[in-house]
Amino acid sequence: MEHKDKMDGIWEHGSIGDKAPAWAKYRKVMTSEFPSPFRGSTDPLADAIKKAIVKIDNLKPKEDGPAYLGDSTALTYTYPEVKNIAIPKGTGDLDKVIDDAIDLFQGMPNVASPLTMANVWPQPNTASIIASLLPQIFMPNIIEGEFSWNVHKAELESAGMLANLFGWSPTKAGCVYTYGGSGCWLYGLKYALTRVLPNSRNSGVRTDGKVICSTQSHFCKENATDWSGLGMDNILEIPTDPITNQMDLGALEVTLQDLRVKGIPVISVICTMGTTDASVFDPITEIKELLDKYPNPAPYGNALLYADAVAGWSWMVFKDYDFEANPLEFSANILLVLKRNLAAIKGIHHADAIGTDFHKFGFSPYASSCFVYKNAAEFESIMRRGSYAYLQDVTPYNPMYYTLEVSRSASGSLAGWATMKYLGTTGLQAILGGILESRYYMDSIVHKHPDMVMADPDNTGFITLFRVYPEGIDAKAQFNKELSDPAARADLIKYNEFTEAIGEKLWNWYLSGKKINKKFTPHMAYSTGFRTTNYNRNGADEEAIVYALKTYPMNVFVTPEIMKHTLDCVVAARDEVIKEML
Ligand SMILES: *Cc1c(COP(=O)(O)O)cnc(C)c1O
């Protein structure tokens, strides 16, 4: 009663009146900064978003500009002083806050630039950007149906589209969009622990079961085993074949036999289907056979076969490609590469679960990783938690009972879903094959430089790893010696340092907006040890490893001219490094 009296005098005809207390007037200002609840009213949102996008787009360079946004790559803060800041007291101005936000993008490496080729870092496609923005406005929460309603169809249809792609029954499969390829890995590990050690959900992980993957598997195995409580010591790394870089099947069998004899359960075998750098696919079909040959002893459940395909899943879009008719008219050697990649990933249907990143080879914004599982009935029941008093099932889809997350954004689902709907398999084929055309053109010119050598010639992904030597050195012969002859160890180390100096030079040229032949230099990278030498297979000698310069073109605007220019820049950097050494 008393409270109602107080509310009188604030509201006049449904809005806040002149005689209202200060808090109410202040609130009036603030509500004007929220989107209107109703259609057609004066709502700043759509106009302001358009204005912001025009402004941020203005950070893009003019044609043939540098590979960064804005006009300088200088960092605009000092550390740790930057953290010495408090929340402002007064209300901000919308335009000013958005301008300040846009300013944060000054100097950032420009993922839209074809000169950007440093990592697995694609420019997102337009449909995925727009689709992933929409949930920011209306907050669908894919915790359960009530708070996402039809929006969660994006996740359900993603499960179906991806299951079909991977050769599974679409209605029996399921998926959860989560925070990254590392999130998918953690989901896979949790699924595996739950299946193999059912009691672990209540009493904790009390058995040192093993997680088996290759030495070239992604380092996020540490995040997952650490955070899950299984412990990093329970990772068993199987060496890779020196020629194919794949998990060595003989070594895997020895390990499985040994564990079987000791009665130690295998929690999961992880097949990396597309390693980040070497783009290698573990032989999943043969690995599945071995896993069936050495099942876990009672009372443990069956080990989970997980495919970490976050950096390789999309090669599967070629499964329906007509390689005979070649409708997209890829050149003959690219056709061979595509066939090889498809053959390497094809056995992926053997996996129980697959990690896919749309923000890598799906050309979508972060974070749009999708953990896909073959047997939804199993995953969703063994991972099931009880009911929650304040949430009720009002639609058939309520993933809150088995997800790691509680609230879950729909942005990732919409990004992945829109990408599949918009690009389709043909669009993805054209993008993947098209980038390979430029990449292999670059390989062909590396071959023409006697002072350069491909350091990983069998790699059939987007990456080129190569070494450059001083003029006059026969790079192929020199590199072969360094790879196999322990007597050339000093040379190897010397040219590793040389490679690093060239890589650093190119990095600084990129940062400073340097031009070679009147064109800006690329943002590329170098690897300090993507492989060991042949006489150091177990990596015991920390210095007998191979450094290489690295280009990882992922941008659809990349052209053969840009790849050729990139090599011209490498030669120029090499020559300057030599000059500085004299
Ligand atoms: C990138 C990568 C990951 C980690 O994925 P994020 O999306 O960066 O979390 C895991 N495995 C492989 C093979 C990767 O290439």
Side-chain angles (χ1 to χ4, degrees):
M1 192 63 200
E2 202 192 346
H3 194 75
K4 183 187 174 299
D5 291 345
K6 276 198 194 148
M7 296 305 278
D8 289 343
I10 297 176
W11 303 95
E12 285 168 18
H13 312 296
S15 39
I16 291 164
D18 290 342
K19 280 176 267 150
W23 72 260
K25 285 183 191 152
Y26 203 64
R27 198 191 125 179
K28 193 174 171 183
V29 176
M30 291 311 293
T31 51
S32 71
E33 304 292 15
F34 281 78
S36 163
F38 307 112
R39 194 193 320 160
S41 42
T42 51
D43 187 334
L45 183 69
D47 284 344
I49 288 180
K50 183 167 179 205
K51 233 163 67 184
I53 291 175
V54 169
K55 275 187 187 164
I56 202 166
D57 271 357
N58 268 331
L59 291 177
K60 293 199 274 196
K62 289 209 216 80
E63 202 173 334
D64 296 328
Y68 47 80
L69 296 171
D71 30 52
S72 158
T73 59
L75 278 180
T76 55
Y77 68 87
T78 54
Y79 184 89
E81 292 77 10
V82 60
K83 293 189 280 184
N84 189 10
I85 182 172
I87 301 172
K89 191 157 185 295
T91 329
D93 173 74
L94 179 64
D95 284 338
K96 170 82 171 60
V97 172
I98 300 306
D99 283 350
D100 288 352
I102 289 168
D103 245 10
L104 296 175
F105 290 77
Q106 280 283 354
M108 194 186 137
N110 179 9
V111 76
S113 169
L115 288 171
T116 296
M117 46 180 91
N119 209 336
V120 200
W121 199 43
Q123 181 189 29
N125 71 79
T126 304
S128 69
I129 297 172
I130 298 170
S132 67
L133 280 176
L134 300 179
Q136 312 301 335
I137 305 168
F138 290 109
M139 293 280 280
N141 185 344
I142 314 192
I143 180 175
E144 60 157 350
E146 182 177 355
F147 299 105
S148 53
W149 214 245
N150 279 315
V151 176
H152 69 235
K153 211 169 105 181
E155 186 160 86
L156 291 167
E157 289 192 351
S158 291
M161 288 189 275
L162 288 168
N164 268 315
L165 181 72
F166 296 138
W168 293 343
S169 160
T171 51
K172 291 195 174 129
C175 80
V176 176
Y177 277 89
T178 187
Y179 61 84
S182 50
C184 293
W185 227 103
L186 184 61
Y187 262 99
L189 180 56
K190 180 65 191 163
Y191 183 8
L193 284 166
T194 303
R195 190 201 260 182
V196 178
L197 309 171
N199 278 339
S200 64
R201 288 195 59 208
N202 291 309
S203 51
V205 179
R206 296 292 180 271
T207 305
D208 283 310
K210 303 299 171 190
V211 166
I212 300 177
C213 46
S214 94
T215 46
Q216 299 195 25
S217 57
H218 194 269
F219 58 81
C220 72
K221 60 193 160 210
E222 294 179 359
N223 306 33
T225 50
D226 180 7
W227 285 69
S228 66
L230 176 63
M232 293 185 273
D233 288 351
N234 284 316
I235 301 171
L236 293 183
E237 289 191 349
I238 306 295
T240 51
D241 182 283
I243 310 282
T244 65
N245 286 310
Q246 294 179 317
M247 192 188 290
D248 183 318
L249 290 167
L252 174 64
E253 181 153 20
V254 170
T255 300
L256 291 172
Q257 268 167 348
D258 181 53
L259 294 173
R260 180 75 223 222
V261 167
K262 292 178 179 148
I264 299 172
V266 176
I267 303 295
S268 181
V269 175
I270 288 85
C271 289
T272 311
M273 302 306 279
T275 54
T276 326
D277 274 355
S279 191
V280 164
F281 299 79
D282 286 327
I284 192 166
T285 305
E286 291 79 4
I287 289 172
K288 163 79 178 152
E289 279 165 17
L290 283 177
L291 208 48
D292 289 345
K293 191 168 159 193
Y294 300 98
N296 281 335
Y300 306 113
N302 287 334
L304 190 96
L305 185 58
Y306 177 65
D308 179 4
V310 298
W313 67 272
S314 49
W315 295 113
M316 271 306 277
V317 298
F318 284 96
K319 75 170 188 178
D320 296 323
Y321 191 70
D322 184 342
F323 285 93
E324 291 300 311
N326 190 19
L328 292 176
E329 301 174 281
F330 293 118
S331 50
N333 68 321
I334 296 304
L335 215 50
L336 287 178
V337 171
L338 293 171
K339 256 190 204 167
R340 235 178 98 178
N341 287 348
L342 177 64
I345 196 170
K346 230 173 160 181
I348 200 164
H349 61 274
H350 290 300
D352 294 305
I354 301 173
T356 53
D357 271 4
F358 281 90
H359 57 243
K360 282 182 171 166
F361 285 78
F363 304 86
S364 303
Y366 295 118
S368 46
S369 300
C370 191
F371 175 73
V372 202
Y373 39 92
K374 178 156 59 183
N375 185 343
E378 182 194 47
F379 175 77
E380 293 167 15
S381 63
I382 68 172
M383 295 290 293
R384 166 94 194 189
R385 288 175 299 256
S387 58
Y388 302 113
Y390 52 90
L391 296 170
Q392 287 86 35
D393 300 356
V394 291
T395 67
Y397 189 54
N398 301 289
M400 61 185 168
Y401 294 119
Y402 49 81
T403 51
L404 165 66
E405 297 91 337
V406 177
S407 292
R408 208 156 48 87
S409 163
S411 281
S413 315
L414 276 162
W417 177 88
T419 294
M420 290 187 277
K421 291 275 216 183
Y422 178 58
L423 298 179
T425 52
T426 308
L428 278 166
Q429 287 164 356
I431 290 173
L432 295 170
I435 294 173
L436 278 185
E437 292 277 356
S438 299
R439 189 234 120 154
Y440 275 90
Y441 171 77
M442 159 126 167
D443 286 19
S444 74
I445 39 182
V446 168
H447 286 304
K448 284 189 197 135
H449 282 273
D451 44 10
M452 292 186 188
V453 58
M454 300 286 293
D456 187 24
D458 294 328
N459 188 319
T460 52
F462 288 169
I463 197 170
T464 301
L465 289 155
F466 61 106
R467 273 162 84 88
V468 54
Y469 290 86
E471 232 175 335
I473 288 187
D474 177 348
K476 283 191 190 75
Q478 176 66 26
F479 182 53
N480 270 339
K481 203 166 70 182
E482 291 168 10
L483 261 189
S484 47
D485 186 355
R489 187 175 174 280
D491 264 11
L492 171 80
I493 292 169
K494 180 172 87 180
Y495 288 119
N496 277 348
E497 285 165 5
F498 187 59
T499 304
E500 184 167 6
I502 297 167
E504 281 298 308
K505 173 75 58 195
L506 285 160
W507 166 243
N508 284 304
W509 281 0
Y510 149 72
L511 279 182
S512 62
K514 163 114 177 157
K515 289 181 181 175
I516 294 292
N517 301 332
K518 304 206 182 82
K519 285 184 283 194
F520 285 96
T521 59
H523 174 198
M524 47 186 282
Y526 63 95
S527 166
T528 53
F530 78 99
R531 60 164 295 176
T532 61
T533 56
N534 296 340
Y535 56 86
N536 180 35
R537 271 194 67 200
N538 60 9
D541 180 347
E542 282 179 17
E543 285 185 302
I545 52 176
V546 177
Y547 287 25
L549 296 171
K550 157 175 164 182
T551 56
Y552 211 129
M554 289 213 67
N555 188 288
V556 294
F557 299 99
V558 77
T559 59
E561 292 75 52
I562 285 171
M563 299 316 285
K564 179 172 181 312
H565 168 60
T566 298
L567 276 195
D568 292 343
C569 295
V570 168
V571 168
R574 188 251 343 245
D575 292 347
E576 194 156 309
V577 165
I578 289 180
K579 227 188 300 165
E580 284 167 4
M581 286 183 345
L582 294 177

